[in-house]
């Protein structure tokens, strides 16, 4: 009995180190697809299977460093700008599938 509805134009979820928490039912209510690792599935433009819903940071990448979340936040902002306006001049420093450099 403590729930309430709040009007909104934009909702940002900061889901934290372990990725999306399915206990509250939001992922199921929205009908979001999950990747095999349990993170939110997304396309090359940070979009999920639900039009207008984007995924970045731990929710889509999985646990990672804050610098990746910051870079993804900038890139997803450019993707949202492009989605809403048809183009974007915002910087997009990384793509959704970029990974850290590794020594071999």
């Amino acid at each position: 009995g403590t729930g309430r509805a709040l009007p909104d134009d934009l909702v940002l979820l900061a889901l934290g180190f372990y990725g999306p928490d399915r206990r509250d039912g939001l992922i199921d209510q929205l009908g979001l697809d999950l990747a095999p690792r349990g993170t939110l599935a997304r396309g090359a433009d940070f979009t999920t299977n639900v039009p207008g819903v984007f995924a970045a940071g731990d929710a889509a990448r999985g646990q990672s460093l804050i610098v990746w979340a910051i870079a993804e936040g900038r890139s997803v902002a450019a993707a949202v700008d492009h989605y809403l306006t048809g183009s974007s001049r915002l910087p997009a420093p990384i793509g959704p599938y970029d990974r850290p450099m590794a020594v071999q």
Side-chain angles (χ1 to χ4, degrees), residues 47-70:
T47 57
T48 66
N49 61 299
V50 178
V53 177
F54 296 77
D58 290 358
R61 177 175 291 275
Q63 63 187 36
S64 189
L65 299 173
I66 187 66
V67 294
W68 282 100
I70 292 168

Side-chain angles (χ1 to χ4, degrees), residues 46 66-76 91-94:
F46 292 92
I66 187 66
V67 294
W68 282 100
I70 292 168
E72 283 201 5
R74 294 174 62 99
S75 294
V76 81
I94 64 170

Side-chain angles (χ1 to χ4, degrees), residues 1-76:
T2 61
R4 61 184 174 151
L6 300 172
D8 60 70
D9 292 322
L10 174 67
V11 176
L12 300 174
L13 301 175
L15 298 171
F17 191 73
Y18 295 106
D21 183 355
R22 298 190 60 192
R23 292 177 293 181
D24 65 4
L26 180 62
I27 291 170
D28 294 329
Q29 288 175 28
L30 290 174
L32 295 171
D33 287 343
L34 297 177
R37 293 178 41 208
T39 56
L40 297 176
R42 63 182 176 184
D45 55 358
F46 292 92
T47 57
T48 66
N49 61 299
V50 178
V53 177
F54 296 77
D58 290 358
R61 177 175 291 275
Q63 63 187 36
S64 189
L65 299 173
I66 187 66
V67 294
W68 282 100
I70 292 168
E72 283 201 5
R74 294 174 62 99
S75 294
V76 81

